[in-house]
């Protein structure tokens, strides 16, 4: 992985570029100035995204806007996007009002469908924000999102069990509403054959406010309708982590997917936990951060990757007062990796910090399909 840093008209873009064969890039773009208003910051990061695409010769395939006040700031976003996208209320804790995660690829040809769904000629699907799911409690909305995803995949000759590789559930007031997400996901997965005897899906369930106040849950996902089971490996980190079903939830700790020339590793939201499901170092943010990173390192290693292969990281903090310490720890250890730290409580109150990430590593699998 090659790490780059660009400055564009008042923004800074930290970029991970995978240049082996078909290029792809992951970047976080943040405004440099904290004093200008939201409209200026959001315009600047979008202009930077356009320039980054031009600079790398790549096309956007997914964007996630992390805003400090989405109810008031979404009016400044582009009227039309060129790829699947998500808008969330997760305040960047560096003091800016907005940040942008953007994934780009060479020769991408995604087209838009209803409900925030984009698909390409290789059978891949990104699900961004969509307003076709009726509002309701967190259980009802979770079931509706997953059932829609399942039906969409079945229409393409695929399935939730075999072809959905990554999901995100962003939950308003997670301390009160996450239980419904867990119940809804468990019920749909059981019907779809996703069980402790088969496998689940890599996932993040975290606090995140939708731009629409009435929506308790936002959902994003990535699927590949052309992969075969032989291309997918589920990672457990059993020396450090327990199976998630032991405490009643249904997701994989991480998933590795092999293509002809690369391996993608999707690390789910990972916190300070041991192999018995217990919180490590309750109340100690430094120790929890160290254990969280140790857990992620174990999953990366099991997936045949290292920290040098990580393409981007998103760090979620429960307490804004912990930002200075966690930021210094992350910068000292991972100065080049695209990342952002946001205010977003984890699904279990005792967890003070959680991180998700994605890694990309060169591979040689001539029998597998191209990415």
């Amino acid at each position: 992985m090659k790490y780059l840093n660009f400055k564009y008209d008042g923004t800074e873009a930290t970029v991970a570029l995978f240049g082996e064969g078909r290029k792809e890039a992951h970047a976080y773009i943040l405004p440099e100035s904290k004093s200008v208003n939201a409209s200026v910051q959001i315009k600047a990061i979008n202009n930077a995204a356009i320039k980054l695409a031009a600079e790398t010769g790549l096309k956007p395939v997914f964007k996630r806007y992390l805003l400090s006040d989405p109810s008031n700031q979404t009016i400044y976003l582009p009227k039309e996007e060129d790829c699947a996208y998500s808008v969330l209320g997760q305040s960047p804790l560096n003091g800016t009002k907005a940040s942008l995660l953007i994934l780009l690829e060479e020769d991408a040809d995604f087209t838009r469908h209803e409900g925030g769904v984009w698909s390409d000629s290789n059978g891949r699907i990104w699900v961004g924000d969509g307003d076709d799911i009726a509002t309701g409690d967190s259980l009802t909305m979770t079931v509706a999102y997953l059932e829609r995803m399942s039906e969409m995949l079945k229409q393409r000759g695929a399935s939730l069990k075999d072809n959905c590789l990554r999901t995100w559930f962003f939950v308003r007031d997670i301390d009160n509403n996450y239980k419904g997400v867990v119940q809804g996901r468990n019920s749909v997965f059981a019907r779809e054959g996703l069980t402790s005897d088969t496998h689940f899906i890599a996932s993040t369930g975290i606090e995140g406010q939708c731009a629409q106040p009435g929506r308790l849950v936002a959902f994003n996902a990535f699927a590949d309708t052309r992969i075969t089971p032989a291309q997918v490996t589920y990672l457990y980190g059993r020396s450090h982590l327990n199976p998630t079903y032991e405490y009643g939830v249904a997701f994989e700790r991480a998933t590795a997917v092999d293509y002809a020339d690369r391996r993608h590793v999707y690390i789910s939201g990972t916190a300070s936990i041991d192999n018995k499901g217990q919180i490590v170092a309750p109340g100690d943010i430094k120790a929890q951060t160290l254990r969280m990173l140790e857990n992620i390192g174990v999953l990366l290693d099991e997936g045949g990757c290292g920290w040098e292969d990580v393409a981007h990281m998103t760090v979620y903090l429960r307490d804004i007062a912990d930002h200075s310490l966690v930021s210094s720890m992350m910068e000292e250890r991972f100065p080049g990796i695209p990342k952002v730290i946001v205010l977003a409580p984890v699904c279990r109150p005792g967890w003070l910090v959680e991180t998700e990430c994605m890694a990309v590593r060169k591979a040689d699998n001539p029998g597998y399909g191209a990415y």
Side-chain angles (χ1 to χ4, degrees), residues 103-182:
L103 279 55
L104 309 101
E105 297 174 6
E106 190 172 19
D107 301 323
D109 62 353
F110 280 83
T111 57
R112 186 174 190 167
H113 309 277
E114 294 181 353
V117 175
W118 292 66
S119 67
D120 76 345
S121 59
N122 289 317
R124 296 177 299 155
I125 298 170
W126 275 102
V127 179
D129 289 350
D131 56 6
D132 59 327
I133 297 296
T135 57
D137 61 27
S138 57
L139 188 156
T140 301
M141 293 194 71
T142 299
V143 169
Y145 283 127
L146 289 173
E147 287 182 341
R148 183 192 67 175
M149 185 78 187
S150 176
E151 181 60 29
M152 177 177 60
L153 289 169
K154 288 176 182 177
Q155 291 173 1
R156 292 166 166 81
S159 69
L160 194 67
K161 177 175 178 286
D162 293 334
N163 301 97
C164 187
L165 298 172
R166 187 67 166 90
T167 61
W168 293 262
F169 295 90
F170 300 104
V171 189
R172 186 183 291 269
D173 187 11
I174 196 166
D175 290 340
N176 289 307
N177 292 315
Y178 186 62
K179 182 178 179 181
V181 173
V182 170

Coordinates of all heavy atoms in Angstrom, one line a residue, residues 103-182:
L103 N -14.0 6.1 -1.6 CA -13.4 4.9 -2.2 C -13.4 5.1 -3.7 O -14.5 5.4 -4.3 CB -14.1 3.6 -1.8 CG -13.8 3.0 -0.4 CD1 -14.0 4.0 0.7 CD2 -14.6 1.7 -0.2
L104 N -12.3 4.9 -4.4 CA -12.2 5.1 -5.8 C -11.6 3.9 -6.5 O -10.8 3.2 -5.9 CB -11.4 6.3 -6.1 CG -11.7 7.6 -5.4 CD1 -10.8 7.9 -4.3 CD2 -11.7 8.8 -6.4
E105 N -11.9 3.7 -7.8 CA -11.4 2.6 -8.5 C -11.1 3.0 -10.0 O -11.7 3.9 -10.5 CB -12.4 1.4 -8.5 CG -12.7 0.8 -7.2 CD -13.7 -0.3 -7.2 OE1 -14.2 -0.6 -8.4 OE2 -14.2 -0.8 -6.2
E106 N -10.3 2.2 -10.6 CA -10.0 2.4 -12.0 C -11.2 1.7 -12.8 O -11.6 0.6 -12.5 CB -8.7 1.7 -12.4 CG -8.2 2.0 -13.7 CD -6.8 1.5 -13.9 OE1 -6.4 0.6 -13.2 OE2 -6.1 2.0 -14.8
D107 N -11.6 2.5 -13.8 CA -12.7 2.0 -14.8 C -13.9 1.5 -14.1 O -14.6 0.6 -14.6 CB -12.1 0.8 -15.6 CG -10.8 1.2 -16.4 OD1 -10.8 2.3 -16.9 OD2 -9.9 0.4 -16.5
A108 N -14.3 2.1 -13.0 CA -15.6 1.8 -12.3 C -16.8 2.2 -13.2 O -16.7 3.3 -13.9 CB -15.7 2.5 -11.0
D109 N -17.8 1.4 -13.2 CA -19.0 1.7 -14.1 C -20.3 1.5 -13.3 O -21.2 0.9 -13.8 CB -18.9 0.9 -15.4 CG -19.0 -0.6 -15.2 OD1 -19.0 -1.0 -14.0 OD2 -19.2 -1.4 -16.1
F110 N -20.3 2.0 -12.1 CA -21.5 1.8 -11.3 C -22.7 2.7 -11.8 O -22.5 3.8 -12.3 CB -21.3 2.2 -9.8 CG -20.6 1.1 -9.1 CD1 -19.2 1.0 -9.2 CD2 -21.3 0.2 -8.3 CE1 -18.5 0.0 -8.4 CE2 -20.7 -0.8 -7.6 CZ -19.3 -0.9 -7.7
T111 N -23.9 2.1 -11.8 CA -25.1 2.9 -12.2 C -26.1 2.9 -11.1 O -26.1 2.0 -10.2 CB -25.7 2.2 -13.4 OG1 -26.1 0.9 -13.2 CG2 -24.8 2.3 -14.6
R112 N -26.9 3.9 -11.1 CA -27.8 4.1 -9.9 C -29.2 3.4 -10.1 O -29.7 3.4 -11.2 CB -28.1 5.6 -9.8 CG -28.9 6.0 -8.5 CD -28.9 7.5 -8.4 NE -29.5 7.9 -7.1 CZ -29.4 9.1 -6.6 NH1 -28.8 10.1 -7.3 NH2 -30.0 9.4 -5.5
H113 N -29.7 2.9 -9.0 CA -31.1 2.3 -9.0 C -31.8 2.9 -7.9 O -31.3 3.8 -7.2 CB -31.0 0.8 -8.8 CG -30.0 0.1 -9.8 ND1 -30.4 -0.3 -11.1 CD2 -28.8 -0.3 -9.6 CE1 -29.4 -0.8 -11.7 NE2 -28.4 -0.9 -10.8
E114 N -33.1 2.5 -7.7 CA -33.9 3.1 -6.6 C -33.3 2.7 -5.2 O -32.6 1.7 -5.1 CB -35.3 2.6 -6.7 CG -36.0 3.1 -7.9 CD -37.5 2.6 -8.0 OE1 -37.9 1.8 -7.1 OE2 -38.2 3.1 -8.9
G115 N -33.6 3.5 -4.2 CA -33.3 3.1 -2.8 C -31.8 3.3 -2.5 O -31.4 2.6 -1.5
G116 N -31.1 4.1 -3.2 CA -29.7 4.3 -2.8 C -28.8 3.2 -3.3 O -27.6 3.1 -2.8
V117 N -29.3 2.3 -4.2 CA -28.5 1.2 -4.7 C -27.8 1.5 -6.0 O -28.3 2.1 -6.9 CB -29.5 0.0 -4.9 CG1 -28.7 -1.2 -5.5 CG2 -30.2 -0.4 -3.6
W118 N -26.5 1.1 -6.0 CA -25.7 1.3 -7.2 C -25.1 -0.1 -7.5 O -24.6 -0.8 -6.6 CB -24.6 2.3 -7.0 CG -25.1 3.7 -6.8 CD1 -25.8 4.2 -5.8 CD2 -24.8 4.8 -7.7 NE1 -26.1 5.5 -6.0 CE2 -25.5 5.9 -7.1 CE3 -24.1 5.0 -8.9 CZ2 -25.4 7.2 -7.7 CZ3 -24.1 6.2 -9.5 CH2 -24.7 7.3 -8.9
S119 N -25.0 -0.5 -8.8 CA -24.4 -1.7 -9.2 C -23.5 -1.5 -10.4 O -23.7 -0.5 -11.1 CB -25.5 -2.8 -9.5 OG -26.2 -2.4 -10.7
D120 N -22.6 -2.5 -10.6 CA -21.7 -2.4 -11.7 C -21.7 -3.6 -12.6 O -22.4 -4.6 -12.3 CB -20.3 -2.1 -11.3 CG -19.5 -3.3 -10.7 OD1 -20.2 -4.3 -10.4 OD2 -18.3 -3.2 -10.5
S121 N -21.0 -3.6 -13.7 CA -21.0 -4.7 -14.7 C -20.4 -6.0 -14.1 O -20.5 -7.0 -14.8 CB -20.4 -4.3 -16.0 OG -19.0 -3.9 -15.8
N122 N -19.6 -5.9 -13.0 CA -19.0 -7.0 -12.4 C -19.9 -7.7 -11.4 O -19.4 -8.6 -10.7 CB -17.6 -6.6 -11.8 CG -16.6 -6.3 -12.8 OD1 -16.5 -7.0 -13.8 ND2 -15.9 -5.2 -12.7
G123 N -21.1 -7.2 -11.2 CA -22.0 -7.8 -10.3 C -21.9 -7.3 -8.8 O -22.5 -7.9 -7.9
R124 N -21.2 -6.2 -8.6 CA -21.0 -5.7 -7.3 C -22.1 -4.7 -7.0 O -22.6 -4.0 -7.9 CB -19.7 -5.0 -7.1 CG -18.5 -6.1 -7.2 CD -17.2 -5.4 -7.1 NE -17.0 -4.4 -8.2 CZ -16.2 -3.4 -8.1 NH1 -15.5 -3.2 -7.0 NH2 -16.0 -2.6 -9.1
I125 N -22.5 -4.6 -5.7 CA -23.6 -3.7 -5.3 C -23.1 -2.9 -4.1 O -22.7 -3.5 -3.1 CB -24.8 -4.5 -5.0 CG1 -25.4 -5.2 -6.2 CG2 -25.9 -3.5 -4.4 CD1 -26.5 -6.2 -5.9
W126 N -23.3 -1.6 -4.2 CA -23.1 -0.7 -3.0 C -24.5 -0.2 -2.6 O -25.3 0.3 -3.5 CB -22.2 0.5 -3.3 CG -20.8 0.2 -3.1 CD1 -19.8 -0.1 -4.0 CD2 -20.1 0.1 -1.8 NE1 -18.6 -0.3 -3.4 CE2 -18.7 -0.2 -2.1 CE3 -20.5 0.3 -0.5 CZ2 -17.8 -0.3 -1.1 CZ3 -19.5 0.1 0.5 CH2 -18.2 -0.2 0.2
V127 N -24.9 -0.3 -1.4 CA -26.1 0.3 -0.9 C -25.8 1.5 0.0 O -25.2 1.4 1.1 CB -27.0 -0.7 -0.1 CG1 -28.2 -0.1 0.5 CG2 -27.3 -1.9 -0.9
G128 N -26.2 2.7 -0.5 CA -26.0 3.9 0.3 C -27.4 4.3 0.9 O -28.3 3.5 1.1
D129 N -27.5 5.6 1.2 CA -28.7 6.1 1.8 C -29.9 6.0 0.8 O -29.7 6.2 -0.4 CB -28.6 7.6 2.2 CG -27.7 7.7 3.4 OD1 -27.3 6.7 4.0 OD2 -27.3 8.9 3.7
G130 N -31.1 5.6 1.3 CA -32.3 5.6 0.5 C -33.5 5.9 1.4 O -33.4 5.6 2.6
D131 N -34.5 6.4 0.8 CA -35.7 6.8 1.6 C -36.9 6.0 1.3 O -38.0 6.3 1.6 CB -36.0 8.3 1.4 CG -36.2 8.6 -0.1 OD1 -36.3 7.7 -0.9 OD2 -36.4 9.8 -0.4
D132 N -36.7 4.8 0.7 CA -37.8 3.9 0.3 C -38.2 3.0 1.5 O -39.2 2.3 1.3 CB -37.4 3.1 -0.9 CG -36.2 2.2 -0.7 OD1 -35.3 2.7 0.1 OD2 -36.2 1.1 -1.2
I133 N -37.5 3.0 2.6 CA -37.9 2.2 3.7 C -38.7 3.1 4.7 O -38.2 4.1 5.1 CB -36.6 1.6 4.5 CG1 -35.9 0.7 3.6 CG2 -37.0 0.9 5.8 CD1 -36.6 -0.6 3.2
A134 N -39.9 2.7 5.0 CA -40.7 3.5 5.9 C -40.1 3.6 7.3 O -39.4 2.7 7.8 CB -42.1 2.8 6.0
T135 N -40.3 4.7 7.9 CA -39.8 4.9 9.3 C -40.6 4.0 10.3 O -41.7 3.6 10.0 CB -39.9 6.3 9.7 OG1 -41.3 6.8 9.6 CG2 -39.1 7.2 8.9
G136 N -39.9 3.7 11.4 CA -40.5 2.8 12.4 C -39.6 2.6 13.5 O -38.5 3.4 13.6
D137 N -39.8 1.7 14.4 CA -38.8 1.5 15.5 C -37.6 0.8 14.9 O -37.6 0.4 13.7 CB -39.5 0.7 16.6 CG -40.0 -0.7 16.2 OD1 -39.4 -1.3 15.2 OD2 -40.9 -1.2 16.9
S138 N -36.6 0.6 15.7 CA -35.3 0.1 15.1 C -35.4 -1.3 14.7 O -34.8 -1.7 13.7 CB -34.2 0.2 16.2 OG -34.5 -0.5 17.4
L139 N -36.2 -2.1 15.3 CA -36.4 -3.5 14.9 C -37.1 -3.6 13.5 O -36.6 -4.2 12.6 CB -37.3 -4.3 15.9 CG -37.4 -5.8 15.7 CD1 -37.7 -6.5 17.0 CD2 -38.5 -6.2 14.7
T140 N -38.2 -2.8 13.4 CA -38.9 -2.8 12.1 C -38.1 -2.3 11.0 O -38.1 -2.9 9.9 CB -40.2 -1.9 12.3 OG1 -41.0 -2.4 13.3 CG2 -41.0 -1.9 11.0
M141 N -37.3 -1.3 11.2 CA -36.5 -0.7 10.1 C -35.4 -1.7 9.7 O -35.0 -1.9 8.5 CB -35.9 0.7 10.5 CG -37.0 1.7 10.6 SD -36.3 3.4 10.7 CE -35.7 3.6 9.0
T142 N -34.8 -2.3 10.7 CA -33.7 -3.3 10.4 C -34.2 -4.4 9.6 O -33.6 -4.8 8.6 CB -33.1 -3.8 11.7 OG1 -32.5 -2.7 12.5 CG2 -32.0 -4.8 11.5
V143 N -35.3 -5.0 10.0 CA -35.9 -6.1 9.2 C -36.2 -5.6 7.8 O -35.9 -6.3 6.8 CB -37.2 -6.6 9.9 CG1 -38.0 -7.5 8.9 CG2 -36.9 -7.3 11.2
A144 N -36.8 -4.4 7.6 CA -37.1 -3.9 6.3 C -35.9 -3.7 5.4 O -35.9 -4.1 4.2 CB -37.9 -2.6 6.4
Y145 N -34.8 -3.2 6.0 CA -33.6 -3.0 5.2 C -33.0 -4.4 4.7 O -32.6 -4.5 3.6 CB -32.5 -2.3 6.1 CG -32.6 -0.8 6.2 CD1 -32.7 -0.3 7.5 CD2 -32.8 0.0 5.1 CE1 -32.8 1.1 7.7 CE2 -32.9 1.4 5.3 CZ -32.9 1.9 6.6 OH -33.0 3.3 6.7
L146 N -32.9 -5.3 5.6 CA -32.3 -6.6 5.3 C -33.2 -7.4 4.4 O -32.7 -8.1 3.5 CB -32.1 -7.4 6.6 CG -30.9 -6.9 7.4 CD1 -30.8 -7.6 8.7 CD2 -29.6 -7.0 6.7
E147 N -34.5 -7.3 4.5 CA -35.4 -8.0 3.6 C -35.3 -7.4 2.2 O -35.4 -8.2 1.2 CB -36.9 -8.0 4.1 CG -37.1 -8.9 5.3 CD -38.5 -8.9 5.8 OE1 -39.3 -7.9 5.5 OE2 -38.9 -9.8 6.5
R148 N -35.2 -6.1 2.1 CA -35.0 -5.5 0.8 C -33.7 -5.9 0.2 O -33.7 -6.3 -1.0 CB -35.1 -4.0 0.9 CG -35.0 -3.3 -0.5 CD -34.7 -1.8 -0.3 NE -33.4 -1.5 0.2 CZ -32.9 -0.3 0.3 NH1 -33.6 0.8 0.0 NH2 -31.7 -0.1 0.9
M149 N -32.7 -6.0 1.0 CA -31.4 -6.4 0.5 C -31.4 -7.9 0.0 O -30.9 -8.2 -1.1 CB -30.3 -6.3 1.6 CG -28.9 -6.6 1.2 SD -28.2 -5.2 0.3 CE -26.6 -5.9 -0.2
S150 N -32.1 -8.7 0.8 CA -32.2 -10.1 0.4 C -33.0 -10.3 -0.9 O -32.6 -11.0 -1.8 CB -33.0 -10.9 1.5 OG -33.2 -12.2 1.1
E151 N -34.1 -9.5 -1.1 CA -34.9 -9.6 -2.3 C -34.1 -9.1 -3.5 O -34.2 -9.7 -4.6 CB -36.2 -8.9 -2.1 CG -37.1 -8.9 -3.3 CD -37.6 -10.3 -3.7 OE1 -37.6 -11.2 -2.8 OE2 -37.8 -10.6 -4.9
M152 N -33.4 -8.0 -3.3 CA -32.6 -7.5 -4.4 C -31.6 -8.5 -4.9 O -31.3 -8.7 -6.1 CB -31.9 -6.2 -3.9 CG -31.0 -5.5 -5.0 SD -30.3 -4.0 -4.3 CE -29.5 -4.6 -2.9
L153 N -30.9 -9.2 -4.0 CA -29.9 -10.2 -4.3 C -30.6 -11.4 -5.0 O -30.0 -11.9 -6.0 CB -29.1 -10.6 -3.1 CG -28.2 -9.5 -2.5 CD1 -27.6 -9.9 -1.2 CD2 -27.0 -9.3 -3.5
K154 N -31.7 -11.8 -4.5 CA -32.4 -13.0 -5.1 C -32.8 -12.6 -6.6 O -32.7 -13.5 -7.4 CB -33.6 -13.3 -4.3 CG -33.3 -14.0 -3.0 CD -34.6 -14.2 -2.2 CE -34.3 -14.9 -0.8 NZ -35.5 -15.0 0.0
Q155 N -33.2 -11.4 -6.8 CA -33.5 -11.0 -8.2 C -32.3 -11.1 -9.1 O -32.5 -11.2 -10.4 CB -34.1 -9.6 -8.2 CG -35.4 -9.5 -7.6 CD -35.9 -8.1 -7.4 OE1 -35.2 -7.1 -7.8 NE2 -37.1 -7.9 -6.9
R156 N -31.1 -11.1 -8.6 CA -29.9 -11.2 -9.4 C -29.2 -12.6 -9.3 O -28.1 -12.7 -9.6 CB -28.9 -10.1 -8.9 CG -29.3 -8.7 -9.2 CD -28.5 -7.7 -8.4 NE -28.7 -6.3 -8.9 CZ -29.7 -5.5 -8.6 NH1 -30.7 -6.0 -7.8 NH2 -29.8 -4.3 -9.1
G157 N -30.0 -13.5 -8.8 CA -29.5 -14.9 -8.7 C -28.5 -15.1 -7.6 O -27.7 -16.0 -7.6
A158 N -28.5 -14.2 -6.6 CA -27.6 -14.3 -5.5 C -28.4 -14.4 -4.2 O -29.6 -14.5 -4.2 CB -26.7 -13.1 -5.5
S159 N -27.7 -14.3 -3.0 CA -28.4 -14.4 -1.7 C -27.7 -13.5 -0.7 O -26.5 -13.2 -0.8 CB -28.5 -15.8 -1.3 OG -27.2 -16.3 -0.9
L160 N -28.4 -13.2 0.4 CA -27.8 -12.5 1.5 C -26.7 -13.4 2.1 O -25.6 -12.8 2.5 CB -28.9 -12.2 2.5 CG -28.6 -11.2 3.6 CD1 -28.5 -9.8 3.1 CD2 -29.7 -11.2 4.7
K161 N -26.9 -14.6 2.2 CA -26.0 -15.5 2.9 C -24.7 -15.7 2.1 O -23.6 -15.6 2.7 CB -26.6 -16.9 3.0 CG -25.7 -18.0 3.6 CD -26.5 -19.3 3.8 CE -25.7 -20.4 4.4 NZ -24.8 -21.0 3.4
D162 N -24.7 -15.8 0.8 CA -23.5 -16.1 0.0 C -22.9 -14.9 -0.6 O -21.7 -15.0 -1.0 CB -23.9 -17.1 -1.1 CG -24.3 -18.4 -0.6 OD1 -23.8 -18.8 0.5 OD2 -25.0 -19.1 -1.3
N163 N -23.6 -13.7 -0.7 CA -23.0 -12.6 -1.5 C -22.9 -11.3 -0.8 O -22.3 -10.4 -1.3 CB -23.9 -12.5 -2.8 CG -23.9 -13.7 -3.6 OD1 -24.8 -14.5 -3.5 ND2 -22.9 -14.0 -4.4
C164 N -23.6 -11.1 0.3 CA -23.4 -9.9 1.1 C -22.2 -10.0 1.9 O -22.1 -10.9 2.8 CB -24.7 -9.6 1.9 SG -24.6 -7.9 2.7
L165 N -21.3 -9.0 1.8 CA -19.9 -9.1 2.4 C -19.8 -8.1 3.5 O -18.9 -8.4 4.4 CB -18.9 -8.9 1.3 CG -18.8 -9.9 0.2 CD1 -17.8 -9.4 -0.9 CD2 -18.4 -11.3 0.7
R166 N -20.5 -7.0 3.5 CA -20.3 -6.0 4.6 C -21.6 -5.2 4.8 O -22.3 -4.9 3.8 CB -19.2 -5.1 4.1 CG -18.7 -4.1 5.2 CD -18.0 -4.7 6.3 NE -17.3 -3.8 7.2 CZ -17.8 -3.2 8.3 NH1 -19.1 -3.3 8.6 NH2 -17.0 -2.4 9.0
T167 N -21.9 -5.0 6.1 CA -23.1 -4.2 6.4 C -22.7 -3.2 7.5 O -21.7 -3.4 8.2 CB -24.3 -5.0 6.9 OG1 -23.9 -5.7 8.1 CG2 -24.7 -6.0 5.9
W168 N -23.4 -2.1 7.5 CA -23.3 -1.0 8.5 C -24.7 -0.7 9.0 O -25.6 -0.4 8.2 CB -22.6 0.2 8.0 CG -21.2 0.1 7.6 CD1 -20.1 0.4 8.4 CD2 -20.7 -0.3 6.4 NE1 -19.0 0.2 7.7 CE2 -19.3 -0.3 6.4 CE3 -21.3 -0.8 5.2 CZ2 -18.5 -0.6 5.4 CZ3 -20.5 -1.2 4.1 CH2 -19.1 -1.1 4.2
F169 N -24.9 -0.6 10.3 CA -26.1 -0.1 10.9 C -25.8 1.1 11.8 O -25.0 1.0 12.8 CB -26.8 -1.2 11.8 CG -27.2 -2.4 11.0 CD1 -26.4 -3.5 10.8 CD2 -28.5 -2.5 10.5 CE1 -26.8 -4.6 10.1 CE2 -29.0 -3.6 9.7 CZ -28.1 -4.6 9.6
F170 N -26.3 2.2 11.4 CA -26.1 3.5 12.2 C -27.4 3.8 12.9 O -28.4 3.9 12.3 CB -25.7 4.6 11.2 CG -24.4 4.3 10.4 CD1 -24.5 3.9 9.1 CD2 -23.2 4.3 11.1 CE1 -23.3 3.6 8.4 CE2 -22.0 4.0 10.4 CZ -22.1 3.7 9.0
V171 N -27.2 3.9 14.2 CA -28.4 3.9 15.1 C -28.5 5.2 15.9 O -27.6 5.5 16.6 CB -28.4 2.7 16.0 CG1 -29.7 2.5 16.8 CG2 -28.0 1.4 15.3
R172 N -29.6 5.8 15.8 CA -29.9 7.0 16.7 C -30.2 6.6 18.1 O -31.0 5.7 18.3 CB -31.1 7.8 16.1 CG -31.3 9.1 16.8 CD -32.6 9.8 16.2 NE -32.3 10.2 14.9 CZ -31.9 11.4 14.5 NH1 -31.6 12.3 15.5 NH2 -31.7 11.8 13.2
D173 N -29.5 7.2 19.1 CA -29.6 6.8 20.5 C -29.4 5.3 20.7 O -30.3 4.6 21.0 CB -31.0 7.2 21.0 CG -31.2 7.0 22.5 OD1 -30.1 6.7 23.2 OD2 -32.3 7.1 23.0
I174 N -28.2 4.9 20.4 CA -27.9 3.5 20.3 C -28.1 2.8 21.7 O -28.5 1.6 21.7 CB -26.4 3.3 19.9 CG1 -26.2 1.8 19.4 CG2 -25.4 3.7 20.9 CD1 -25.0 1.6 18.6
D175 N -27.9 3.5 22.8 CA -28.1 2.8 24.1 C -29.5 2.3 24.2 O -29.8 1.3 24.9 CB -27.8 3.8 25.2 CG -26.3 4.1 25.3 OD1 -25.5 3.3 24.8 OD2 -25.9 5.1 25.9
N176 N -30.5 2.9 23.6 CA -31.9 2.5 23.7 C -32.4 1.8 22.5 O -33.4 1.0 22.6 CB -32.8 3.7 23.9 CG -32.6 4.3 25.3 OD1 -32.7 3.6 26.3 ND2 -32.3 5.6 25.4
N177 N -31.8 2.0 21.3 CA -32.3 1.4 20.1 C -31.5 0.3 19.5 O -32.0 -0.4 18.5 CB -32.5 2.5 19.0 CG -33.6 3.5 19.4 OD1 -34.7 3.1 19.9 ND2 -33.3 4.8 19.3
Y178 N -30.4 0.0 20.0 CA -29.6 -1.1 19.4 C -30.2 -2.5 19.6 O -30.1 -3.4 18.7 CB -28.1 -1.1 20.0 CG -27.2 -2.1 19.3 CD1 -26.9 -2.0 17.9 CD2 -26.6 -3.2 20.0 CE1 -26.1 -2.9 17.3 CE2 -25.8 -4.0 19.4 CZ -25.5 -3.9 18.0 OH -24.7 -4.8 17.4
K179 N -30.9 -2.7 20.7 CA -31.6 -4.0 20.9 C -32.5 -4.3 19.8 O -32.5 -5.5 19.3 CB -32.4 -3.9 22.2 CG -33.0 -5.2 22.6 CD -33.8 -5.1 23.9 CE -34.5 -6.4 24.3 NZ -35.2 -6.3 25.6
G180 N -33.2 -3.4 19.2 CA -34.1 -3.7 18.1 C -33.3 -4.1 16.9 O -33.8 -4.9 16.1
V181 N -32.2 -3.5 16.6 CA -31.3 -3.8 15.5 C -30.9 -5.3 15.6 O -30.9 -6.1 14.7 CB -30.1 -2.9 15.4 CG1 -29.1 -3.4 14.3 CG2 -30.6 -1.5 15.1
V182 N -30.4 -5.6 16.8 CA -30.0 -7.0 17.1 C -31.1 -8.0 16.9 O -30.9 -9.0 16.2 CB -29.4 -7.1 18.5 CG1 -29.2 -8.6 18.9 CG2 -28.1 -6.3 18.7

